[in-house]
Amino acid sequence: MSGQPPGARGGAGLDAGTGQPGQTALRLVWSTPLYLRSTVALFLSGLGFSAAAPQIASFLVGELHASLTVAGLYYLTNLTAPVAGYLVGARSDRTGSRLGLFRLCAVVGFAGWTAIALAPRLWVPFVVSAVVLGFAGAATSQLFAAIHDQATLRPRPANDGVVAIVRMALTAGWVVGPVAGSFLAAVAGSRVMLLATAVATLAQLVPLGALRDPGPAGPASASSRAHRPGVRVMLPLLAFTALYICVYAGESVKYAFLPIYMNDRLGFSPALSGAIIGIQPLVELVLMPIAVVVARRTGEVRLMVLAAGFGVSANLCFALTGTAAGLFAGQILMGGVWGVFATLGIIVAQRLLPQAVATASAIFLSSTALSSALGGLAGGLGAAWIGLPLVFLVPAGFGLAAVLGLAVMTRAR
């Protein structure tokens, strides 16, 4: 699979649409309103969602008096997200209304987070999360579908770099959000923090303003709106998404058990534990633009085989080293995993279903909910069976399955 978009193979330094010297990805983002405004919107999206994610269990226990077991079950409400994402994506591919559906999903997200923040009873967050927030999460996939449409209209060698920059903004929001959410919850309370999440979700609308969808991308786009892709056509995308779920499942295991392991078993100071946790997103942000450059030479899926191998090695470091240096090494390797997958995953997903890119984007991006549930279940059973730190062998096994599956996919394509 090539690392370049169709039509970008002519001259390495030429704009494929005009024959003029090509722009760098950064200049292209800066000069294209859709790219620039999507970058800001996705930073706000990441900021809002990541501020709430680590605090929601504390809110359920502290404000609504849930037990720890019931609070843990809240995360199962994410299992409806892939269904909501598919419905929104299919509608988007039929109508071509990417930004209209994005705006609707953002408003729905604002209403959902506001309802949770003001919830008088424990059942309210569960129902709202299961029924409403799945549609809110589909907003991100609509922006990536619109970016794909724009890139198809004006093929350039730098288009993959544009996706990397926009995706970095989402990751940057997830770096800042947990810190901001923890601070706001400590100062003003969990309900105020959740209201702030609602405001950040709605604020995604501001950068996009009245911007309209890119024009139709050609004859293929019109035919794809008339026919929903069948299951057989979607099989490569579904297989790739399943392998991505295997890779991502390790994240929920890591965030659940690595802090406990460092603090309770190894006796690390809070500063050392925080440094180990914090090194991963920094490495990820550095590697995201590099991944695009390397993928042009190796192919995206081949590079993902290597990245999934990094994930296996990282979990072996967590399980077997028992030292700060070993855990730092594991987190640096994890930064390599997500520097590749966070950047290239959406690109590969869209190319596996080019006639329905919004559906592909929604299925791929909403799969993180399934992987979190899978990782949480497998990690909980593994911790009860083999304990800490050997529980990290469980995600290492998932990662090995992903390595083998991606290698097969590389040969098949």
Side-chain angles (χ1 to χ4, degrees):
M1 182 178 295
S2 170
Q4 293 178 322
R9 298 185 179 91
L14 298 181
D15 185 308
T18 65
Q20 299 301 315
Q23 292 178 289
T24 65
L26 191 60
R27 286 187 176 183
L28 196 53
V29 169
W30 187 257
S31 63
T32 307
L34 175 64
Y35 297 159
L36 180 60
R37 297 180 186 191
S38 296
T39 300
V40 178
L42 286 176
F43 173 78
L44 293 171
S45 173
L47 179 67
F49 276 94
S50 65
Q55 301 295 324
I56 191 69
S58 298
F59 166 73
L60 295 174
V61 173
E63 297 288 338
L64 299 178
H65 312 296
S67 67
L68 291 175
T69 301
V70 171
L73 293 175
Y74 172 84
Y75 294 96
L76 295 179
T77 62
N78 292 332
L79 294 177
T80 60
V83 177
Y86 174 77
L87 293 175
V88 173
R91 175 70 178 175
S92 176
D93 285 322
R94 286 197 304 272
T95 64
S97 177
R98 318 299 198 195
L99 298 183
L101 284 168
F102 161 76
R103 293 181 177 100
L104 179 60
C105 290
V107 171
V108 167
F110 168 75
W113 284 113
T114 300
I116 291 177
L118 302 177
R121 298 287 186 273
L122 180 59
W123 61 267
V124 174
F126 284 81
V127 173
V128 170
S129 180
V131 177
V132 177
L133 292 187
F135 290 95
T140 298
S141 66
Q142 295 310 296
L143 282 186
F144 279 110
I147 290 168
H148 177 276
D149 290 347
Q150 179 71 38
T152 305
L153 283 171
R154 300 291 300 275
R156 293 182 174 94
N159 281 340
D160 285 356
V162 168
V163 175
I165 291 172
V166 175
R167 188 61 178 79
M168 286 172 68
L170 184 63
T171 300
W174 277 85
V175 171
V176 176
V179 178
S182 297
F183 175 78
L184 188 57
V187 172
S190 297
R191 291 186 185 271
V192 173
M193 182 274 301
L194 291 171
L195 284 173
T197 294
V199 171
T201 303
L202 187 64
Q204 295 177 81
L205 300 178
V206 176
L208 272 296
L211 198 65
R212 301 179 64 180
D213 287 291
S221 120
S223 63
S224 69
R225 291 176 194 170
H227 303 286
R228 181 179 299 181
V231 174
R232 178 173 293 182
V233 175
M234 294 173 62
L235 281 178
L237 170 66
L238 296 176
F240 174 69
T241 303
L243 295 172
Y244 174 75
I245 287 172
C246 289
V247 175
Y248 197 92
E251 287 294 280
S252 54
V253 177
K254 183 186 72 177
Y255 283 116
F257 296 109
L258 188 59
I260 296 173
Y261 177 52
M262 291 190 295
N263 298 330
D264 296 349
R265 299 292 179 87
L266 299 179
F268 289 173
S269 67
L272 179 57
S273 298
I276 291 172
I277 293 294
I279 192 67
Q280 176 186 323
L282 296 178
V283 173
E284 179 181 340
L285 284 172
V286 170
L287 292 182
M288 288 175 82
I290 298 174
V292 173
V293 176
V294 175
R296 286 177 182 153
R297 296 181 177 273
T298 65
E300 293 97 337
V301 181
R302 286 193 181 93
L303 186 57
M304 287 179 174
V305 174
L306 178 62
F310 286 169
V312 176
S313 300
N315 281 292
L316 291 177
C317 287
F318 298 150
L320 304 176
T321 60
T323 65
L327 300 189
F328 266 117
Q331 281 289 80
I332 290 170
L333 287 167
M334 276 297 184
V337 175
W338 297 114
V340 171
F341 275 90
T343 307
L344 302 179
I346 188 66
I347 296 173
V348 172
Q350 290 177 340
R351 290 177 182 170
L352 289 173
L353 196 66
Q355 67 271 45
V357 293
T359 301
S361 302
I363 289 174
F364 177 76
L365 291 174
S366 61
S367 67
T368 56
L370 291 177
S371 62
S372 295
L374 172 65
L377 177 62
L381 294 176
W385 180 37
I386 56 179
L388 289 175
L390 295 182
V391 68
F392 294 108
L393 295 176
V394 175
F398 283 133
L400 182 59
V403 170
L404 298 176
L406 289 167
V408 171
M409 180 172 283
T410 300
R411 294 178 63 86
R413 294 190 64 81

